[in-house]
Amino acid sequence: MNKFKIICTTDIHGTIYPVDFSSNQTVDFGLSRFATYLEEQRAENEVLLIDNGDVNQGSPFVTFANKNEPMNIMAKALNKLQYDFVNIGNHDFNFGSDFFIKYINELEGTSIVTNVLYNGKTIGQSQVVTLPEYDVKIGIVGVVTDYISNWEKPANLTGLTILSVMETLKKEVASLKEKVDKIVVCYHGGLERNPETGEPTETLTGENVGYEIVTKIPGIDLLLSGHQHRSIVTHIGDTLVLQAANNVREVMEVTYDAGVFTGKLVPMHEYSSDQTFLESFSDVYNQTQHWLDEKIGPGAEGLSVSDIIEVQKEPNTFTRMINQAQLAFSDADISSTSLYDSTIGFAEEITYRQLAANFPFPNTLVLMEITGAILKEYLEWNANYWTLENDEIVVNPTYLEPKRQIYNYDIFEGIEYTINVQKPSGERIEDLTFEKKIVQDHDVFRIVINNYRASGGGDFHMLKKGTILKEYSEEIIDVMYDFLKNTDLTDLNKQQTANTMLTK
C-alpha cells in the first residue's frame, strides 16, 4: 500500500525560479525543483501538501510581479502545484491588507489560518482530514506569529486583527481532540528554546513560541514550524517538530505509518527543475530580467561590498551613501542603516539588479525624535554585535546561531563614537559626539531609521521610547533609486570620514 505523507514548504520567499537574480546565476533550490520532487512523491504516495507562509516577499521576481501582475503570482504558483492547505507568514502582511486578502482569495488551497481576523471574521479555519484507507483522522491547525504588530506598519494591518497564538491554539486543539486521532499544527514561527535542554536561545519576546506550544498545549502530535529558516528535525516530549530552510532549499516530509509520524528534511538540489511548471511564468520572468537590467547611472570607487562583516567593522563609501540618501530624503540629524546577506554594493555601472540585491526588504523610513540617553542606549545594544575571540574582534555567535541576524547591526552617519569591545555590555560606547560636541542625555536629535527598527525590531526596544515625527510611504529601494539618479557619487569619496571605530 502507498504511504501517506504530509509535505510542507515554508518561507518560499518568492523563489519560483532557481536563479539568484542579483548575480543572474543558477542555484540548486527553488519551487521549480520542488515541483519535480512533488510529482515523484504523488506518483508513489498519498500526499497532503501544505505551505507554511512567507511566500510573497524576498525575490526581485515576486517584487516585480506584485507591482505589475493582475493575479498574485505566488497564488498562481501554489495553485499550479495543487496545494491542499495554506498558512501565512509575517512577510505576507508587508504589502497591506488589500494585497493580503487578494492573495488569500486567489488561492485554490484552503486557508488554515485561525488567529487572523479580517473585519472580525477568521480568514481560515482548522481542518479535519479523514483517511479511511489509513484508518486515521487528522486535525490541522494554522497560526502565524502574533508578534507581527510589533514590526508591521499599522496602515498595512487595516481591518486585520492578529490573535494570540497560544490562546488560539489552546482553543483549536481542545476542539479537535474529540474529533481526530492526530493533531498537526502549522506555525509560522520558530523555536525560542533549545529543544533538548529548554534553555532560551533568544530573547523571549514572544516572536517565536514553538517550544512553549508543544510543552504547554497537550495533544499536539506534529509541529511544522518556520520563520527562522532553520533545519530542524527533533522531538520535544512526544511531539515531532520540524522546520526547513528558506527559499525551498529543503522541504519537510512527514510519513504516517501504523499510528506514528516520522519526519525528515529533503534537499532540493537533488532534483532538476520542472520546465513545464516554469513555462507558466516565463513572460513575467523575461519582464523581470529586463527591469533588473535597467541602468541607473555610473558608480564610484569604494562602493563594492565583497565582505559584509569587514564593512560592518569599517564602514565604507557604500554605507555612507545609503545614510546620505536617507539624510537628504528626511532632513534628519542622524541616519542608520544595516547590511544584509544579499548586500553586494555597486559596480562601475549601477543597475536595478544591484539595487534589488542590496535592498531586499520592502522597508520604509521613519523620522523620529530621540534624546541623547535613548541614542546611547541604542548604540550600546548595537555594540553587543561584537565580541572578542582569541583577542580578535568577531561577530557575537548569538547573531549567527540559531538564526543568522547580521541585519541587526546598524551603521550610522551624523555622529562619531568608539565601540570598546573589551568593556562589559552596556559600557562599550566611548567618545560619542555630534557636530564635535559630547552628546548629553538631555540632547534631542532627529534620526531616520527603517520601519522595522523603529518598531523595536531586533530587540531595539529603546527606540519605541522616541517620538515618531513622520512615517514615509516610499520604500527604501525607491528612495535610493531617486538618490542615485540625481547624485554624483564621486563627491562621497571627497566627504568621507570615519565616524565609527572598533577597539579592543
Side-chain angles (χ1 to χ4, degrees):
M1 185 172 71
N2 291 348
K3 294 180 179 179
F4 171 65
K5 293 187 178 184
I6 297 174
I7 295 174
C8 183
T9 53
T10 191
D11 298 273
I12 293 172
H13 286 291
T15 312
I16 289 178
Y17 277 82
V19 174
D20 177 350
F21 284 91
S22 64
S23 62
N24 218 12
Q25 298 297 308
T26 300
V27 296
D28 59 0
F29 49 85
L31 211 53
S32 63
R33 294 177 184 269
F34 171 71
T36 301
Y37 155 81
L38 179 63
E39 184 177 7
E40 291 183 8
Q41 288 297 316
R42 281 176 168 158
E44 299 174 359
N45 304 290
E46 179 79 19
V47 171
L48 191 69
L49 182 58
I50 305 172
D51 182 70
N52 196 36
D54 269 10
V55 302
N56 286 301
Q57 174 278 331
S59 162
F61 174 81
V62 77
T63 297
F64 177 85
N66 287 346
K67 294 180 178 180
N68 295 281
E69 287 296 292
M71 179 180 179
N72 183 288
I73 199 76
M74 295 309 299
K76 180 179 178 180
L78 269 57
N79 292 346
K80 286 277 183 187
L81 296 174
Q82 297 180 314
Y83 274 75
D84 297 293
F85 301 121
V86 179
N87 196 15
I88 48 128
N90 55 293
H91 281 294
D92 297 319
F93 292 84
N94 286 168
F95 310 99
S97 55
D98 289 346
F99 176 97
F100 176 82
I101 294 302
K102 182 175 181 290
Y103 165 66
I104 295 294
N105 289 339
E106 290 181 345
L107 287 167
E108 293 172 3
T110 301
S111 170
I112 54 172
V113 191
T114 58
N115 72 320
V116 178
L117 309 180
Y118 181 62
N119 292 335
K121 297 181 179 180
T122 56
I123 64 168
Q125 58 186 7
S126 297
Q127 301 293 314
V128 174
V129 178
T130 302
L131 299 160
E133 63 271 41
Y134 300 96
D135 192 29
V136 66
K137 287 185 178 180
I138 297 175
I140 301 176
V141 190
V143 285
V144 59
T145 174
D146 52 28
Y147 204 69
I148 290 167
S149 56
N150 289 277
W151 304 312
E152 200 57 71
K153 294 180 291 186
N156 284 348
L157 300 177
T158 302
L160 294 167
T161 303
I162 301 166
L163 306 176
S164 162
V165 165
M166 292 298 294
E167 294 307 311
T168 300
L169 280 179
K170 287 175 184 176
K171 181 183 70 174
E172 295 295 324
V173 170
S175 174
L176 285 171
K177 272 185 178 179
E178 303 303 317
K179 305 174 184 175
V180 300
D181 305 301
K182 296 289 182 180
I183 294 178
V184 178
V185 170
C186 299
Y187 169 48
H188 190 89
L191 299 183
E192 74 282 22
R193 295 177 181 271
N194 183 306
E196 295 180 359
T197 67
E199 290 297 312
T201 53
E202 63 187 39
T203 305
L204 301 179
T205 61
E207 175 181 348
N208 300 299
V209 293
Y211 188 92
E212 184 179 7
I213 287 171
V214 296
T215 55
K216 292 188 177 180
I217 304 177
I220 298 172
D221 300 284
L222 172 63
L223 177 68
L224 302 172
S225 63
H227 183 56
Q228 293 172 311
H229 302 178
R230 297 167 63 186
S231 300
I232 298 173
V233 180
T234 190
H235 277 85
I236 300 176
D238 295 329
T239 306
L240 176 62
V241 179
L242 288 88
Q243 186 178 143
N246 57 312
N247 302 119
V248 209
R249 287 175 165 82
E250 59 193 12
V251 300
M252 295 173 268
E253 180 185 301
V254 178
T255 302
Y256 177 80
D257 186 29
V260 177
F261 283 129
T262 56
K264 65 179 181 179
L265 301 178
V266 182
M268 290 298 101
H269 66 78
E270 301 174 358
Y271 298 88
S272 61
S273 287
D274 183 330
Q275 295 302 319
T276 301
F277 172 72
L278 287 180
E279 284 173 9
S280 302
F281 309 94
S282 59
D283 286 349
V284 182
Y285 174 80
N286 292 332
Q287 292 175 60
T288 300
Q289 291 285 20
H290 180 74
W291 169 64
L292 290 171
D293 285 334
E294 177 192 344
K295 290 181 172 58
I296 299 174
E301 186 179 351
L303 286 174
S304 64
V305 175
S306 58
D307 188 319
I308 295 168
I309 306 302
E310 287 305 309
V311 173
Q312 289 178 320
K313 287 182 177 180
E314 295 186 33
N316 67 353
T317 306
F318 176 73
T319 56
R320 179 178 176 83
M321 176 204 64
I322 300 172
N323 278 320
Q324 286 289 333
Q326 293 183 176
L327 289 170
F329 179 76
S330 63
D331 196 31
D333 305 310
I334 304 167
S335 173
S336 77
T337 190
S338 53
L339 303 178
Y340 307 94
D341 282 311
S342 61
T343 299
I344 57 175
F346 292 131
E348 293 181 2
E349 186 74 40
I350 299 174
T351 65
Y352 208 95
R353 187 182 302 278
Q354 298 165 38
L355 199 60
N358 289 312
F359 304 96
F361 297 100
N363 290 327
T364 54
L365 293 174
V366 177
L367 181 65
M368 298 186 72
E369 184 177 87
I370 62 172
T371 63
I374 295 173
L375 176 61
K376 291 176 185 177
E377 192 177 349
Y378 181 9
L379 294 171
E380 288 288 2
W381 182 257
N382 198 51
N384 289 330
Y385 185 78
W386 303 110
T387 191
L388 289 176
E389 184 178 285
N390 298 323
D391 204 36
E392 293 294 325
I393 298 173
V394 298
V395 177
N396 189 322
T398 61
Y399 287 79
L400 303 176
E401 296 289 344
K403 180 181 179 180
R404 188 170 168 87
Q405 302 176 67
I406 68 166
Y407 54 84
N408 275 331
Y409 179 74
D410 288 350
I411 298 168
F412 295 80
E413 184 79 8
I415 52 176
E416 296 184 358
Y417 60 96
T418 297
I419 300 175
N420 191 335
V421 183
Q422 69 177 345
K423 291 278 190 76
S425 174
E427 301 176 17
R428 291 179 163 187
I429 302 302
E430 300 176 347
D431 306 321
L432 172 60
T433 62
F434 173 76
E435 295 182 347
K436 306 300 181 183
K437 296 179 181 178
I438 297 293
V439 171
Q440 305 296 327
D441 286 353
H442 62 267
D443 290 340
V444 177
F445 304 100
R446 289 155 55 94
I447 186 170
V448 59
I449 53 182
N450 70 40
N451 63 293
Y452 174 72
R453 195 66 83 232
S455 68
D459 293 337
F460 287 85
H461 302 296
M462 74 294 298
L463 290 171
K464 293 195 285 188
K465 295 187 288 188
T467 302
I468 293 178
L469 302 177
K470 186 170 184 179
E471 296 183 79
Y472 299 94
S473 59
E474 296 89 342
E475 292 183 14
I476 292 178
I477 193 170
D478 297 319
V479 172
M480 292 306 307
Y481 179 88
D482 290 339
F483 181 80
L484 292 168
K485 277 287 191 181
N486 298 288
T487 305
D488 182 353
L489 298 181
T490 58
D491 289 342
L492 292 173
N493 283 326
K494 301 173 187 176
Q495 304 168 19
Q496 187 168 0
T497 58
N499 63 347
T500 307
M501 180 181 295
L502 281 174
T503 187
K504 57 184 178 179

